[in-house]
Amino acid sequence: MPTLKLMPTFLGLTLTPRLMLMLMLMPLLPAAWAGTATRLLSSVQYVPSQEVTVSVELAPLASEAFNTLEEVVPAGWELVSAGTASWTASTRTLRWVSLGGLVRTFSYVVRAPSPAISAAVFS
């Protein structure tokens, strides 16, 4: 009697072990190919209601045609100036699009909460 070998499928494709490995590793590829982003704050310590300038230097790989940079402003902090970014208030997200593989610096200004509620985490 012949043995049946059942192979899992995905979108109509038979998932061989090699294809399964490629699908599992695919989410990791953009991180491996991405450039770097470095954040600098005008003040490491702040007082309530103080304005702080946040600068992010984006250094993409030369082969990248465009990059999108997103920053989330911490809860309680007020956006004073978005610079050249688009601002989505509902998610507190700033977004820049950079064309070409050029190093660029993006800046925005925020105001510390008054009273200060906790440590701020910019992401």
Side-chain angles (χ1 to χ4, degrees):
M1 176 166 217
T3 356
L4 292 175
K5 186 175 182 182
L6 297 176
M7 296 291 288
T9 60
F10 177 73
L11 298 176
L13 298 172
T14 301
L15 294 179
T16 63
R18 180 178 286 170
L19 185 57
M20 287 174 56
L21 179 63
M22 287 173 46
L23 288 172
M24 290 183 339
L25 293 177
M26 201 175 303
L28 302 176
L29 293 178
W33 290 341
T36 60
T38 306
R39 182 183 302 108
L40 299 170
L41 280 74
S42 62
S43 179
V44 178
Q45 297 180 344
Y46 58 88
V47 295
S49 299
Q50 175 184 346
E51 289 187 4
V52 177
T53 300
V54 180
S55 299
V56 182
E57 181 182 86
L58 180 64
L61 296 177
S63 60
E64 294 175 334
F66 71 94
N67 291 277
T68 301
L69 174 67
E70 292 185 349
E71 280 273 285
V72 177
V73 176
W77 288 66
E78 175 189 346
L79 179 66
V80 176
S81 170
T84 59
S86 62
W87 168 247
T88 305
S90 61
T91 59
R92 306 188 56 77
T93 303
L94 292 155
R95 183 174 294 110
W96 295 266
V97 175
S98 175
L99 301 176
L102 304 174
V103 175
R104 302 232 4 230
T105 300
F106 301 101
S107 298
Y108 60 98
V109 180
V110 290
R111 182 173 293 118
S114 179
I117 51 177
S118 64
V121 177
F122 289 81
S123 63

